[in-house]
Amino acid sequence: MLVKWIRCTVVDRPGFERGQRKWAGLPGEPGFRGQGGGWSRGRPDVAHVFAFWESRAFYDSFMARSHDRLAAAQSGTYRDMQVRLFEHRFDVKVGFEPRFSDADVVRVAHCRVRPDRVDHFTLVQEKVWNPAMAGSPGMLRGVFGEAPGSEFLVLSMWDSAAEHGKYRVERVERLGLRAQTEADVAAIAGDVVRVEPAWTVV
């Protein structure tokens, strides 16, 4: 599965919201699995969109054929768009599905890992972070993806911002020490995204 993460700064919110609804045409596309997103809780003008495709081949075909027509409705409503693609490595918790209907927030973490620490980082994600997240109340599902250049994406969906906040306060610092995160990660950026139900396409 291919995971696409889009982040941009919105300059025309009503226009952007209208354009976002045009993506309702996606379900007819071969290989499309789901899409959703919302607004950053920390920076209200920043939007995040997450799209899921069965494979890179299906995604490339969509980009060559239909993408520009659907995207035209949002032209001029945003700036500073960043697009990143990640190949699914494994689920966080089990049975990941690209559904957003039961999620209140999505936590996205983008990690640039030191090349000589990639194997350790991946192992720790599987053995330390995944069980901790999977066992946390309110954590619904998630996905761990990899891009060329030792880049990784950890995406987790939560049924409430409050439960995600408790996990951060109670677990993250302690787990970070155990996982030797500072030794593995050269840079980490992230955000907590408030899910907008109207943006969900399945």
Side-chain angles (χ1 to χ4, degrees):
M1 183 172 68
L2 188 76
V3 184
K4 181 179 187 177
W5 172 34
I6 305 157
R7 178 186 182 278
C8 61
T9 303
V10 174
V11 294
D12 170 7
R13 192 163 173 142
F16 185 86
E17 293 261 20
R18 277 195 306 276
Q20 198 58 38
R21 289 194 279 276
K22 299 288 186 187
W23 295 99
L26 277 170
E29 294 292 333
F32 174 73
R33 297 278 307 276
Q35 180 169 292
W39 299 101
S40 165
R41 283 173 57 90
R43 294 189 48 202
D45 59 338
V46 170
H48 295 265
V49 178
F50 308 98
F52 302 85
W53 294 82
E54 277 176 32
S55 70
R56 181 64 189 255
F58 279 122
Y59 170 75
D60 286 344
S61 172
F62 161 71
M63 291 299 290
R65 290 178 301 101
S66 309
H67 173 270
D68 290 358
R69 175 174 49 82
L70 292 170
Q74 281 174 306
S75 178
T77 65
Y78 59 84
R79 58 182 172 80
D80 303 333
M81 177 174 278
Q82 297 167 21
V83 178
R84 285 191 163 84
L85 302 174
F86 298 85
E87 288 288 347
H88 172 272
R89 283 286 301 272
F90 47 78
D91 294 348
V92 180
K93 219 164 177 174
V94 292
F96 178 81
E97 293 175 34
R99 286 189 296 116
F100 292 81
S101 56
D102 53 354
D104 179 42
V105 296
V106 174
R107 162 68 180 163
V108 55
H110 176 224
C111 305
R112 294 183 188 277
V113 177
R114 295 182 174 93
D116 60 326
R117 300 286 294 188
V118 164
D119 290 345
H120 180 264
F121 176 79
T122 305
L123 181 70
V124 162
Q125 186 67 40
E126 208 165 358
K127 303 295 186 196
V128 177
W129 291 105
N130 274 14
M133 264 199 275
S136 294
M139 192 277 183
L140 300 169
R141 68 189 77 83
V143 65
F144 178 76
E146 182 176 6
S150 310
E151 277 190 57
F152 294 87
L153 181 78
V154 185
L155 196 69
S156 56
M157 299 182 180
W158 299 77
D159 67 9
S160 76
E163 288 295 352
H164 175 256
K166 275 194 273 186
Y167 165 76
R168 287 185 70 174
V169 170
E170 294 168 8
R171 315 282 295 268
V172 167
E173 189 174 337
R174 183 166 47 83
L175 288 167
L177 292 170
R178 188 174 150 208
Q180 301 174 354
T181 302
E182 284 193 8
D184 290 349
V185 176
I188 184 166
D191 211 345
V192 178
V193 182
R194 193 182 72 249
V195 173
E196 285 287 343
W199 297 11
T200 299
V201 185
V202 289

